[in-house]
Amino acid sequence: MVGLAGAQAIHDGALDPAAPLSDYLSLDVAWPDGVARSFTHLATHTSGILDTDAGYEEVGYHFGATTHPMSLEGFLSAYLTEGGGLYDADANFGEGPPGSRYDYSNIATGLAGQAIGDAVGEDFAAYSARVLAPLALSAGWGHLGPAPDGAATLYSRDEAGDLEALPPYGLATWPDGQFNASARDLAKLLATVMGGGRYEGVPLIAPEVIALLTSPRAAGLDGMDDDDEVGLFWSTETLSYGIWRLHLEGHSGGDPGVFTMMYRTAGTDTGFVLMLNGEPEGLFALIRLARIATLLSEMPEGP
């Protein structure tokens, strides 16, 4: 969702993906090495921003309501600016110059959402909703209100290993994962990207925007497999566990009580969405997940 909104902003000339973030951002990130970063660095997870337990895990989640007490900008300011309450130059940033290493970062994704909003002069949730409007998805950003009717209950396991329902929760960096969607929504998004912006023959997104989203911008870096590459968050990546290995294009992710995969098998017209209302834990669960993903990726192509 963030990548598609960024691609639209780039296409419209509001955002230069290679320009210093300081050209757009409303906050002043204190990069320890003093080297400027760009939107491309955020979107390819090569900015050097790291998610820490003390910051992202302990403060970024708020259980009890879908809206976090801290705003996106407030959390980013605390985590990334000099004097911020969560700022730690050693822990919050990796080593090496920008663009040299792949380190997946949810906080960098939140910062990308902030940068898009600042660049277009509009709240990111509102702007991205307009970009996504042609897809007519069933839901939207979860921090704006309670979960939609019919939403699945999310579960985690307690210390005894028993399932327990999770209360509603919100993310301070909500662009990194707090978009409420159904499996049908994600299948429509995936099919539209696979169709170059067309869904069942109907043009929904400009093909130039899809190309901006998916075109590789980083590849072969430390932290990546040799044949992996990433565009604007949209990745071609190798998923492996033991002898299991799949080469897929799209994205996956999880938070407490939710795990989602949205991929096409690279080089084919077969795509799949896998959505769970609990995170797979333990060897047996991971083996079953690998088996399910393999079966989905090998389904015969439809008409």
Side-chain angles (χ1 to χ4, degrees):
M1 307 302 178
V2 180
L4 189 58
Q8 186 67 60
I10 294 168
H11 178 261
D12 293 343
L15 176 65
D16 180 348
L21 287 169
S22 56
D23 289 357
Y24 305 104
L25 275 178
S26 54
L27 54 94
D28 185 17
V29 178
W31 306 106
D33 58 10
V35 179
R37 268 67 166 177
S38 68
F39 182 80
T40 294
H41 291 131
L42 299 178
T44 57
H45 298 290
T46 60
S47 70
I49 296 175
L50 303 178
D51 299 343
T52 65
D53 290 341
Y56 182 74
E57 298 292 342
E58 295 294 331
V59 182
Y61 290 94
H62 172 71
F63 289 87
T66 58
T67 300
H68 197 287
M70 297 180 72
S71 67
L72 172 63
E73 186 173 6
F75 178 86
L76 294 172
S77 180
Y79 195 90
L80 298 172
T81 65
E82 199 77 56
L86 300 173
Y87 184 79
D88 186 327
D90 294 326
N92 295 2
F93 303 89
E95 298 180 354
S100 64
R101 177 176 174 79
Y102 179 94
D103 284 301
Y104 192 95
S105 173
N106 292 290
I107 292 174
T109 307
L111 185 62
Q114 182 71 43
I116 294 168
D118 290 343
V120 302
E122 186 177 356
D123 175 73
F124 174 71
Y127 176 75
S128 58
R130 288 198 296 106
V131 172
L132 295 166
L135 294 168
L137 304 181
S138 66
W141 293 109
H143 74 294
L144 297 176
D149 292 339
T153 300
L154 306 185
Y155 290 93
S156 65
R157 293 192 181 275
D158 59 23
E159 294 182 358
D162 297 324
L163 289 172
E164 59 179 359
L166 289 171
Y169 65 88
L171 303 177
T173 54
W174 49 266
D176 73 43
Q178 202 178 349
F179 191 90
N180 290 325
S182 67
R184 184 181 295 273
D185 287 335
L186 295 187
K188 188 174 186 179
L189 172 62
L190 178 60
T192 301
V193 174
M194 292 171 62
R198 301 176 72 89
Y199 178 73
E200 295 184 344
V202 179
L204 298 181
I205 305 292
E208 296 83 2
V209 173
I210 300 298
L212 287 167
L213 171 72
T214 59
S215 296
R217 297 168 185 265
L221 302 176
D222 287 344
M224 304 173 70
D225 280 5
D226 291 341
D227 53 355
D228 290 0
E229 52 194 24
V230 58
L232 298 181
F233 296 107
W234 192 273
S235 300
T236 301
E237 57 192 21
T238 301
L239 302 186
S240 60
Y241 185 78
I243 62 172
W244 176 69
R245 186 177 178 87
L246 286 176
H247 196 54
L248 303 170
E249 176 190 337
H251 210 287
S252 65
D255 277 304
V258 62
F259 179 79
T260 302
M261 302 175 78
M262 180 188 69
Y263 286 116
R264 75 188 295 180
T265 304
T268 77
D269 289 329
T270 298
F272 69 91
V273 170
L274 171 65
M275 186 176 286
L276 308 177
N277 60 330
E279 293 181 277
E281 300 178 60
L283 177 61
F284 184 58
L286 291 173
I287 291 173
R288 291 205 302 173
L289 175 64
R291 178 59 176 160
I292 293 170
T294 300
L295 290 171
L296 291 172
S297 69
E298 294 176 349
M299 290 184 69
E301 297 178 9

